[in-house]
Amino acid sequence: MIQYILIGLLILGMILTMYQLYLSNSWTTMIKRKQEQYTNAPSIKSNQKALYHRMELCTLALACVLFVPPQMLQKNNSVAPEFILDDGDAISYQLKNESDMEIAPQKANPLSSTNHNTNRELSKSSPDSISLITMLSNQQELVTVSLEMVDTNARVLDSATFLELYANQEILISKQTSLETCDYIVLISSKDISERELLFKEEEKEYLLCDSMDEICYALSK
Amino acid sequence: MFKIKFSITEKDKIKQVLGIEESQAYEIVLCKCKEDMEEDKINLVFDMDRLDEVATKIQFFTEVKKIYLDGKSEAGEIRLALEDILYIESFGNDIYAYTMNEIALLPLKLYQLTEQLEPFGLIRIGKSCIVNVAHIYAVKPHLNGKLTITMTNKKEIEVNRTYVTSFKNYIKK
């Protein structure tokens, strides 16, 4: 949409500049003819550098807008997960188009809630960290997403156990929005989202996974 | 002022001997036969052999008498040639004429000057300004209908929308 508006504005600018060039040319010609009635050497000069420069700029900008890859202007919607909220707590998601992720679904999503009485839907344009972990836990060969676990002493831990635990749990959105202390940090990075830090903490009845950027915490019941 | 209807080599010689230039808006046609004559123009028909004789005759057209305006400058009373005046501007009741080097206070009213100077290429372009068309250096039309004129001394003068039409009509004459 932004691209179309830009193209429209630039074309309008070019048309107006061309009209001004035409006006400038016709005025210069008229005055030159008049001057020739009084003198053999007309003093008027065709000074259209500024207009030609503006025309060049418009053309250049138009070329840039036309040849900019559409991905740079639009976020990739192909992997947009759809969230369906169940009475404000339970969360389930489904990928709109799994083939776009270059993976074949191997099993049904274990995180899908079975009792959906929902009417509220929340769509996001790009996958967030939690949906990427979910995808990872379902499909471990996923090459576009990487996950790393670091403990508080900056030691890298094995993330396979975490993913296995994650895949078999029901995830709820916790009332808590942040964690002050954590057991370890889950670093997740993909081409769709830049590196994100998730804080993981084991509590008495549940595991908490908090995204400080989105200010949201997910609870995995034990 | 002139149009020369001769071959290219003859044309160069004529320009050199007579000291004239061709222009798109011409009144005098120089040609070698009656067939080249143009209606509503002054036609001079001659052979190249008699070019020297034409040179003396053509002085009548080229040596136009200068018209002067009297005014007062810082140095005292001066006489300004009309062709040297770039523009005339009024400030209250005072009328100033600007040349490349001088500014003179004129003892006339702007409306009197407008009437008297229009046949000599000076046209009113605003409530308080008259410009000499021969000294316009550049013109810049705007999309809102206004016009900015740059004079040979690089002074920029704006033509109001109300005066653009009359200015255009004058230029087209």
Side-chain angles (χ1 to χ4, degrees):
Chain A
M1 186 63 183
I2 295 168
Q3 199 177 12
Y4 291 123
I5 292 169
L6 276 175
I7 291 168
L9 285 173
L10 287 169
I11 290 173
L12 184 72
M14 285 170 84
I15 291 168
L16 290 177
T17 312
M18 279 168 78
Y19 178 61
Q20 251 185 309
L21 268 170
Y22 161 76
L23 283 178
S24 179
N25 265 328
S26 51
W27 271 106
T28 307
T29 315
M30 278 193 297
I31 291 173
K32 195 173 184 178
R33 270 193 205 142
K34 191 71 182 176
Q35 284 184 340
E36 281 171 347
Q37 289 179 14
Y38 301 104
T39 172
N40 283 328
S43 58
I44 193 156
K45 299 277 180 296
S46 177
N47 189 13
Q48 293 161 346
K49 269 184 190 171
L51 290 174
Y52 282 120
H53 187 62
R54 197 198 298 170
M55 198 71 182
E56 278 171 13
L57 280 178
C58 281
T59 315
L60 196 70
L62 188 64
C64 286
V65 172
L66 286 174
F67 295 109
V68 156
Q71 289 90 337
M72 283 182 74
L73 294 170
Q74 289 177 322
K75 286 184 177 175
N76 191 358
N77 290 324
S78 58
V79 290
E82 195 172 83
F83 289 88
I84 302 160
L85 299 177
D86 284 354
D87 47 57
D89 288 323
I91 179 170
S92 73
Y93 89 101
Q94 55 195 100
L95 281 175
K96 273 185 178 169
N97 187 357
E98 285 185 339
S99 62
D100 286 346
M101 289 298 294
E102 298 171 1
I103 55 165
Q106 289 185 339
K107 58 178 180 180
N109 188 346
L111 297 172
S112 294
S113 177
T114 47
N115 53 345
H116 298 308
N117 323 330
T118 180
N119 292 322
R120 288 183 294 152
E121 284 190 5
L122 172 68
S123 292
K124 290 196 174 183
S125 58
S126 66
D128 60 7
S129 51
I130 200 81
S131 59
L132 285 168
I133 297 177
T134 311
M135 283 188 287
L136 260 176
S137 61
N138 293 338
Q139 181 63 39
Q140 297 207 15
E141 302 93 54
L142 196 61
V143 288
T144 53
V145 184
S146 70
L147 186 135
E148 199 178 38
M149 288 174 66
V150 186
D151 69 4
T152 45
N153 297 320
R155 284 180 301 189
V156 179
L157 306 172
D158 178 26
S159 58
T161 323
F162 166 75
L163 287 172
E164 200 180 329
L165 165 80
Y166 189 88
N168 295 316
Q169 295 294 325
E170 189 184 12
I171 299 177
L172 300 169
I173 295 176
S174 172
K175 285 174 185 173
Q176 206 169 326
T177 54
S178 62
L179 274 179
E180 284 183 13
T181 56
C182 67
D183 296 335
Y184 51 79
I185 300 160
V186 180
L187 295 169
I188 183 153
S189 58
S190 80
K191 65 173 183 182
D192 298 304
I193 58 166
S194 53
E195 195 171 273
R196 294 283 277 271
E197 280 186 2
L198 297 166
L199 307 177
F200 187 89
K201 192 178 185 184
E202 188 178 346
E203 291 194 339
E204 276 182 30
K205 292 180 182 176
E206 58 191 1
Y207 299 103
L208 276 177
L209 191 63
C210 290
D211 191 337
S212 53
M213 239 173 153
D214 286 345
E215 290 189 346
I216 192 166
C217 282
Y218 301 94
L220 287 77
S221 54
K222 281 189 175 176
Chain B
M1 199 177 208
F2 296 98
K3 184 171 176 93
I4 307 167
K5 290 187 168 180
F6 280 85
S7 66
I8 296 167
T9 47
E10 288 171 332
K11 209 182 250 189
D12 289 340
K13 196 178 177 187
I14 290 167
K15 282 181 187 174
Q16 198 182 344
V17 173
L18 302 182
I20 57 168
E21 285 292 330
E22 278 190 292
S23 62
Q24 285 184 331
Y26 58 92
E27 290 151 1
I28 303 162
V29 178
L30 307 182
C31 52
K32 66 163 83 173
C33 55
K34 283 180 182 176
E35 286 73 35
D36 292 337
M37 284 168 65
E38 290 183 24
E39 281 182 24
D40 304 327
K41 305 280 180 198
I42 301 163
N43 294 278
L44 292 174
V45 187
F46 60 92
D47 281 330
M48 283 301 285
D49 308 335
R50 304 182 69 184
L51 189 58
D52 293 333
E53 286 176 49
V54 177
T56 53
K57 301 281 185 294
I58 212 157
Q59 282 175 358
F60 173 77
F61 300 105
T62 52
E63 286 180 7
V64 179
K65 278 186 182 174
K66 285 189 174 181
I67 301 162
Y68 293 95
L69 281 178
D70 291 327
K72 282 180 187 171
S73 74
E74 284 180 348
E77 294 214 353
I78 54 163
R79 180 165 277 195
L80 299 173
L82 209 57
E83 60 184 38
D84 294 334
I85 294 173
L86 307 180
Y87 61 98
I88 297 167
E89 213 168 8
S90 74
F91 295 99
N93 291 325
D94 298 334
I95 313 291
Y96 292 94
Y98 296 81
T99 66
M100 284 298 261
N101 310 312
E102 285 169 314
I103 304 168
L105 179 68
L106 302 178
L108 292 161
K109 301 284 178 198
L110 202 65
Y111 71 90
Q112 291 172 320
L113 288 167
T114 309
E115 288 169 8
Q116 289 173 14
L117 303 181
E118 208 176 286
F120 305 103
L122 283 97
I123 174 76
R124 193 160 180 173
I125 56 153
K127 221 174 174 181
S128 61
C129 192
I130 294 172
V131 292
N132 189 346
V133 174
H135 286 285
I136 293 174
Y137 178 73
V139 63
K140 188 178 171 188
H142 299 282
L143 291 170
N144 60 7
K146 285 184 181 177
L147 208 64
T148 303
I149 288 172
T150 309
M151 304 308 292
T152 42
N153 65 346
K154 305 293 183 256
K155 159 88 178 174
E156 286 191 350
I157 302 167
E158 200 170 82
V159 185
N160 292 328
R161 262 176 289 191
T162 44
Y163 283 91
V164 166
T165 317
S166 60
F167 179 61
K168 193 173 184 177
N169 292 336
Y170 177 78
I171 294 295
K172 277 184 173 176
K173 272 184 200 170

